[in-house]
Amino acid sequence: MMRVLVYLVCLVLLLSVGVIAEPPGTPSSDASMPRLERFSPDQVDKSADPCNDFFQYACSKWIKANPIPPDQAAWGTFNSLAIWNLAALRNTLEQASKPADSRSAVEQKAGDYYAACMDETAIDKAGLSPLQPVIDRIARLQDKSQLPALVASIHQIIRPADLNFISAQYGGVLFGLYASPDFVDATKQLATIDQSGMGMPSREFYLKDDEKSKQIRDLYVKHVARVLQLTGEAPAQATADAQMVLAFETALANAAMDIVARRDPKNLNNKMSLQQLQSLTPSFNWKAYFGAMHVPDSPQYLNVSPGFFKGMEKLAANEPIEHWRAYLRFSTVNFMGNLLSKPFLDENFEFYGKTISGAQQIQPRWRRCSTYADTDLGEAVGQAYVARYFPPQSKTRMLEMVKAIENSLHQEIDAQNWMSAQTRKLAHEKLRAQVDKIGYPDHWIDYSSVTIKRDDFLGNVQRASNFEINRRIAKIGKPTDRHEWGMTPPTVNAYEDAQTNTINFPAGILQPPFFDAEQVDAANYGAIGAVIGHEIIHGYDDQGRKFDANGNLRDWWTPADAASYEQKDNCIADEYTQDVPEAGVKQDGKLSLGEDTADNGGVHLTLNALQSTLESQGKSLDSPAEGGMTQEQTFFAAYATVWCGELRPEAARTAVLTQGHSLNRYRVNNVVANMPEFAHAFGCKAGQKMVRANACRVW
């Protein structure tokens, strides 16, 4: 049950290390590097009323000075940090790409990978040839009994998706396979199958009847047809196949689990024997598929979406073989489209970049290649990032802040008059058992078996993908490693994992404006501290609270305590069920409930922790800070700063429909409107917009 801090459209890219000759841990000031964003009291718009619209007060000057670049679907301080880090990574990769006997094995792989990615001439010349073997195998599909082995061959070469159960689907072709902890006994890893196979972001894109959804589906059909033509199909055949692909994927969408239902781990906990799984989909031979994927024999398999596989069975039983060939041909090529030659790349961007996200231009190739290097060899490039940009003192300071905020939650648990002694005791036990992972893993992934060639970019991607999918599959049947990371060290993000009871903060996010060694405590607590609080509260949000100290899905709440919790949390769900004008759709507060609960509770906990820290220094929240602000005002302004930014309408719509995070404006305004401490800090009065009459609060 991984829950990440930010949604993918608005966030980001991945980062890594520069080679500028500066002391370790010093962010580069080299002219080739973008400017790092840092919190400043001067950023606020003092002509605006913080009690009317705090996001406007804190962010309008930044947004006006930083319009969305044409190659971005969104732009904010998050994105700015990601771009800064990508520029740093580019420096390292370009240096490593220069052939030299002195290069280490890791430098050789990372450098040659980057060089192959940057060689557009060779990629364009290769065209579709790197995928031709699997395309030819799809063309030879004559009988549905061949489907399991064929699907396995596709799954072995496409990039495994990130595991995140707040996503609408696993990103891949037809369905997803991975290892995940047993919901009942989190110490064991089970083979898990998941819904996937839709080329648009979620089932809602196929099923909604509004005019915008119909328009996007029409454009999607044209996209499918163009991709199929690029693979060699005649225009008339491609047009007919495109309509079929839409119908095929719509059937998958109708069978897929709704994204709100998908949030509840109880709906995902469907263990089956191989016989039961086979009975669910008799037309698809799971033994053959698992054998081709080298999945160890197991007494149980986790099927997180049984309804989806019932729908897949109907397609396997009823769709003619030529429909399966067209679907698999399109899906495989489309999934790799952004990695292929220019015609495929341009078509991929036209639909996903422009139509779905609203970007006007594709990002520079060096950014994309830097991102791909982190995706495929993340812990290799991550080692260099950590060595240069995450000094030991940063980790020490982070751990101190984490402990302070955890202590704040311990105090909050004791203060809850609606919680029984029994539940309170178990809540404390869960918090004490939590593993705090800061910066990077204790043990690095060994990529020595991955062959990287300087003249074979897509081959490199396929070999790295094959390595990663088999690395994941090898975990099946083995003990869960609570210290393994689900993000690479250079990632600008953070996450909580309920099944390992861990909070995870990659080194990449521990840079300005989130964590800044030069800032006062109030600014760091408001920025990275609120992120820490957010992730801690995820263990006690509406779904995280269903897991115990050991990461097992177990109801440890008394019925009365659970009822009290839900009553308080329903207030948040109702508050966030709202029209989102910039997206043109309505937000479902039940979908975003976990993230909204974490936002509200995290800021509250962190402010309490800051108060304790200041008291130990002989100060208070009302003490002066910098720029004419109090410590408390600085805290709230720094919190808003990390969410400053905006999205294009297309990206906003996609974000609201497909994942569980509120847009940035609401992450700021709804949170502060629920806090009397904010009203005190800025002198807000009852009746003003940032003073909510029916203030919501769980933690």
Side-chain angles (χ1 to χ4, degrees), residues 342-376:
K342 191 174 188 304
F344 292 95
L345 177 65
D346 289 346
E347 178 55 40
N348 184 276
F349 177 74
E350 185 69 26
F351 182 73
Y352 294 103
K354 291 184 178 179
T355 300
I356 296 298
S357 300
Q360 300 168 11
Q361 298 175 7
I362 195 166
Q363 292 201 45
R365 183 144 196 111
W366 69 263
R367 283 189 194 163
R368 288 178 277 131
C369 289
S370 299
T371 301
Y372 298 156
D374 187 273
T375 299
D376 289 337

Side-chain angles (χ1 to χ4, degrees), residues 202-218:
S202 73
R203 66 193 298 271
E204 286 71 24
F205 279 75
Y206 297 87
L207 306 182
K208 288 178 70 69
D209 290 330
D210 60 281
E211 288 304 313
K212 183 65 175 178
S213 297
K214 293 176 182 177
Q215 178 189 15
I216 291 174
R217 284 195 290 272
D218 288 343

